[in-house]
Amino acid sequence: MDSSSTQRRRMRSGGVALGGMGLLAATLVACGSSDEPDRRCANRTTLDHLNSRECKSGSSSSGHAWYYGGYTNAQGKVSGGSFDKSAVKSGGFGGGSSSSGG
């Protein structure tokens, strides 16, 4: 095998890898451009982060509800968001944020 065929083979596989990365980037951007805020299932009283199935069952009498925005801390509690969807700014991955000085 001569060096030109080896070089050609390397370039071809490099093009496939770059094409795959472009597809991955496009997918991430498309998935992150939602108007819905990030959400996680939580207990309204204890603020424990729960499995999503607990909220998908549709029973609000259980005290489990969607918690919008925020994050889950190291103790497994939700924080920095709200159970009120309209009180949370949407955006997700790629979402913008703004601030003003004064």
Side-chain angles (χ1 to χ4, degrees):
M1 193 177 299
D2 65 5
S3 65
S4 64
S5 65
T6 303
Q7 180 68 19
R8 190 174 16 240
R9 185 174 303 150
R10 285 185 188 155
M11 290 177 67
R12 196 173 338 159
S13 64
V16 170
L18 288 175
M21 291 299 287
L23 179 62
L24 176 63
T27 302
L28 287 173
V29 169
C31 289
S33 60
S34 171
D35 289 336
E36 292 291 313
D38 188 28
R39 70 179 187 177
R40 57 196 43 79
C41 186
N43 180 291
R44 285 184 174 274
T45 305
T46 64
L47 298 180
D48 288 331
H49 182 193
L50 306 170
N51 189 305
S52 295
R53 284 180 281 173
E54 301 290 334
C55 288
K56 288 179 182 175
S57 66
S59 172
S60 61
S61 63
S62 64
H64 304 156
W66 291 113
Y67 186 84
Y68 298 95
Y71 59 94
T72 302
N73 65 24
Q75 291 78 35
K77 307 276 186 185
V78 294
S79 181
S82 174
F83 286 104
D84 179 6
K85 183 178 180 179
S86 63
V88 178
K89 189 175 179 181
S90 62
F93 182 85
S97 64
S98 62
S99 62
S100 60

